[in-house]
Coordinates of all heavy atoms in Angstrom, one line a residue:
I495 N 117.9 102.6 114.3 CA 118.6 103.6 115.1 C 117.7 104.4 116.0 O 116.5 104.5 115.6 CB 119.5 104.5 114.2 CG1 118.6 105.2 113.2 CG2 120.6 103.8 113.5 CD1 119.3 106.3 112.4
R496 N 118.2 104.8 117.1 CA 117.3 105.6 118.0 C 117.1 107.0 117.5 O 118.0 107.6 116.8 CB 118.0 105.7 119.4 CG 117.8 104.4 120.2 CD 117.9 104.6 121.7 NE 118.8 105.7 122.1 CZ 120.1 105.5 122.3 NH1 120.7 104.3 122.1 NH2 120.9 106.5 122.7
A497 N 116.0 107.6 117.7 CA 115.6 109.0 117.3 C 115.9 110.0 118.4 O 116.1 109.6 119.5 CB 114.2 109.0 116.8
Q498 N 115.8 111.2 118.0 CA 115.8 112.3 119.0 C 114.5 112.5 119.7 O 113.8 113.6 119.5 CB 116.3 113.6 118.4 CG 117.7 113.6 117.9 CD 118.7 113.6 119.1 OE1 118.5 114.4 120.0 NE2 119.7 112.8 119.0
N499 N 114.0 111.4 120.2 CA 112.6 111.5 120.8 C 112.5 110.3 121.8 O 112.7 109.2 121.4 CB 111.6 111.2 119.7 CG 110.2 111.5 120.1 OD1 109.6 112.5 119.7 ND2 109.6 110.6 120.9
S500 N 112.3 110.7 123.1 CA 112.3 109.6 124.1 C 111.0 108.8 124.0 O 110.0 109.2 123.4 CB 112.4 110.2 125.5 OG 111.2 110.8 125.8
L501 N 111.0 107.6 124.6 CA 109.9 106.7 124.6 C 108.7 107.4 125.3 O 107.5 107.2 125.0 CB 110.2 105.4 125.3 CG 109.3 104.2 125.1 CD1 109.1 104.0 123.6 CD2 109.9 103.0 125.7
K502 N 109.1 108.3 126.3 CA 108.1 109.0 127.1 C 107.3 110.0 126.2 O 106.1 110.3 126.5 CB 108.9 109.9 128.1 CG 108.1 110.0 129.4 CD 109.0 110.8 130.4 CE 108.7 112.3 130.2 NZ 109.7 113.2 130.8
N503 N 107.9 110.4 125.1 CA 107.2 111.4 124.2 C 106.6 110.7 123.0 O 106.5 111.3 121.9 CB 108.1 112.5 123.8 CG 108.4 113.4 125.0 OD1 107.6 113.8 125.7 ND2 109.7 113.7 125.1
N504 N 106.4 109.4 123.1 CA 105.7 108.7 122.0 C 104.4 108.1 122.5 O 104.4 107.5 123.6 CB 106.7 107.5 121.5 CG 106.0 106.6 120.5 OD1 105.4 105.7 120.9 ND2 106.2 106.9 119.3
F505 N 103.4 108.3 121.8 CA 102.0 107.9 122.3 C 101.3 107.0 121.3 O 101.3 107.3 120.1 CB 101.2 109.1 122.7 CG 101.9 110.0 123.7 CD1 102.7 111.0 123.3 CD2 101.7 109.8 125.0 CE1 103.3 111.8 124.2 CE2 102.3 110.6 126.0 CZ 103.1 111.6 125.6
K509 N 98.2 104.2 125.4 CA 99.0 104.9 126.3 C 98.2 106.2 126.8 O 98.2 106.5 128.0 CB 100.3 105.2 125.7 CG 101.4 105.8 126.7 CD 102.7 105.8 126.0 CE 103.8 106.5 126.8 NZ 105.0 106.6 126.1
Q568 N 100.5 105.6 116.1 CA 101.3 106.2 117.1 C 101.8 107.6 116.7 O 101.8 107.9 115.6 CB 102.5 105.3 117.4 CG 103.4 105.0 116.2 CD 104.6 104.2 116.6 OE1 105.5 104.7 117.3 NE2 104.8 103.0 116.1
I569 N 102.2 108.4 117.7 CA 102.6 109.7 117.4 C 103.8 110.1 118.3 O 103.8 109.7 119.5 CB 101.5 110.7 117.6 CG1 101.9 112.1 117.0 CG2 101.0 110.9 119.0 CD1 100.7 113.0 116.8
S570 N 104.8 110.7 117.8 CA 106.0 111.2 118.6 C 105.9 112.7 118.6 O 105.8 113.3 117.6 CB 107.3 110.7 117.9 OG 107.3 109.3 117.9
T571 N 106.0 113.2 119.8 CA 105.8 114.7 119.9 C 107.0 115.5 119.6 O 106.9 116.7 119.2 CB 105.3 115.1 121.3 OG1 106.1 114.4 122.3 CG2 103.8 114.6 121.5
I572 N 108.2 115.0 119.8 CA 109.5 115.7 119.5 C 109.9 115.6 118.0 O 110.1 116.6 117.3 CB 110.6 115.3 120.4 CG1 110.1 115.3 121.9 CG2 111.8 116.2 120.2 CD1 109.8 116.7 122.5
D573 N 109.9 114.4 117.6 CA 110.2 114.1 116.1 C 109.0 113.3 115.6 O 108.9 112.1 115.7 CB 111.5 113.3 116.0 CG 111.8 113.0 114.6 OD1 111.0 113.3 113.7 OD2 112.9 112.4 114.3
P574 N 108.1 114.0 114.9 CA 106.9 113.4 114.5 C 107.1 112.2 113.5 O 106.2 111.3 113.4 CB 106.1 114.5 113.8 CG 106.7 115.8 114.2 CD 108.2 115.5 114.6
D575 N 108.3 112.2 112.8 CA 108.5 111.1 111.9 C 109.0 109.8 112.6 O 109.0 108.7 112.0 CB 109.5 111.5 110.8 CG 108.9 112.5 109.8 OD1 107.7 112.6 109.8 OD2 109.7 113.1 109.1
A576 N 109.5 109.9 113.8 CA 110.0 108.8 114.5 C 108.9 107.9 115.0 O 107.8 108.3 115.3 CB 110.9 109.3 115.7
K577 N 109.2 106.6 115.1 CA 108.2 105.6 115.5 C 108.8 104.7 116.6 O 110.0 104.5 116.7 CB 107.8 104.7 114.3 CG 107.3 105.5 113.1 CD 105.8 105.7 113.3 CE 105.1 106.3 112.1 NZ 105.4 107.7 111.9
S578 N 107.9 104.1 117.3 CA 108.3 103.1 118.3 C 108.7 101.9 117.6 O 107.9 101.3 116.8 CB 107.1 102.9 119.3 OG 107.4 101.7 120.0
V579 N 110.0 101.5 117.7 CA 110.5 100.3 117.0 C 111.2 99.3 118.0 O 111.7 99.8 119.1 CB 111.5 100.7 115.9 CG1 110.8 101.4 114.8 CG2 112.6 101.5 116.4
L581 N 114.3 97.8 118.9 CA 115.7 98.1 118.6 C 116.5 96.8 118.6 O 117.3 96.5 117.7 CB 116.3 99.1 119.6 CG 115.9 100.5 119.4 CD1 116.7 101.3 120.4 CD2 116.2 101.1 118.0
V586 N 112.4 98.0 123.2 CA 111.6 99.0 122.4 C 112.0 100.4 122.7 O 112.2 100.8 123.8 CB 110.1 98.8 122.7 CG1 109.3 99.8 121.9 CG2 109.6 97.4 122.4
N587 N 112.2 101.2 121.6 CA 112.5 102.6 121.8 C 112.0 103.3 120.6 O 111.6 102.7 119.6 CB 114.0 102.8 121.9 CG 114.3 103.9 122.9 OD1 113.6 105.0 122.8 ND2 115.3 103.8 123.8
V588 N 112.1 104.6 120.6 CA 111.6 105.4 119.5 C 112.8 105.6 118.5 O 113.9 106.0 118.9 CB 111.1 106.8 120.0 CG1 110.5 107.6 118.8 CG2 110.0 106.6 121.0
G589 N 112.5 105.3 117.3 CA 113.7 105.4 116.3 C 113.2 105.3 114.9 O 112.1 105.6 114.6
Y590 N 114.2 104.9 114.1 CA 113.9 104.8 112.6 C 114.4 103.4 112.2 O 115.4 102.9 112.6 CB 114.7 105.8 111.8 CG 114.1 107.2 111.9 CD1 114.4 108.1 112.9 CD2 113.2 107.6 111.0 CE1 113.9 109.3 113.0 CE2 112.6 108.9 111.1 CZ 112.9 109.7 112.1 OH 112.4 111.0 112.2
F779 N 122.3 105.9 116.8 CA 121.3 106.9 117.1 C 121.5 108.1 116.0 O 122.6 108.2 115.5 CB 121.4 107.5 118.5 CG 122.7 108.2 118.7 CD1 122.8 109.6 118.5 CD2 123.8 107.5 119.2 CE1 124.0 110.2 118.8 CE2 125.0 108.1 119.4 CZ 125.1 109.5 119.2
T780 N 120.4 108.8 115.8 CA 120.5 109.9 114.9 C 120.6 111.2 115.7 O 119.9 111.3 116.7 CB 119.4 109.9 113.8 OG1 119.6 111.1 113.0 CG2 118.0 109.9 114.4
L781 N 121.2 112.2 115.1 CA 121.3 113.5 115.8 C 120.2 114.5 115.2 O 120.0 115.6 115.7 CB 122.6 114.2 115.5 CG 123.9 113.5 116.1 CD1 125.1 114.0 115.4 CD2 123.9 113.7 117.6
M782 N 119.6 114.0 114.1 CA 118.6 114.8 113.4 C 117.2 114.5 113.7 O 116.9 113.4 114.2 CB 118.9 114.7 111.9 CG 120.3 114.8 111.4 SD 121.0 116.4 111.7 CE 120.3 117.3 110.3
K783 N 116.3 115.4 113.3 CA 114.9 115.2 113.5 C 114.2 115.2 112.1 O 114.6 116.1 111.3 CB 114.2 116.2 114.4 CG 114.6 116.1 115.8 CD 113.9 117.2 116.6 CE 114.7 117.4 117.9 NZ 114.5 118.7 118.4
G784 N 113.3 114.4 111.9 CA 112.5 114.4 110.6 C 113.2 113.4 109.7 O 114.4 113.3 109.6
V788 N 117.1 112.8 108.8 CA 117.8 111.5 109.3 C 118.4 110.8 108.1 O 119.5 110.3 108.2 CB 116.7 110.6 109.9 CG1 117.2 109.2 110.2 CG2 116.2 111.2 111.2

Side-chain angles (χ1 to χ4, degrees):
I495 53 172
R496 282 202 328 273
Q498 291 290 316
N499 191 105
S500 72
L501 200 52
K502 214 178 87 194
N503 291 316
N504 174 272
F505 301 91
K509 192 169 171 184
Q568 54 173 298
I569 191 166
S570 299
T571 50
I572 308 296
D573 178 356
D575 289 346
K577 299 274 184 292
S578 164
V579 291
L581 284 182
V586 176
N587 214 319
V588 183
Y590 284 89
F779 61 93
T780 176
L781 297 165
M782 313 292 286
K783 286 179 203 153
V788 170

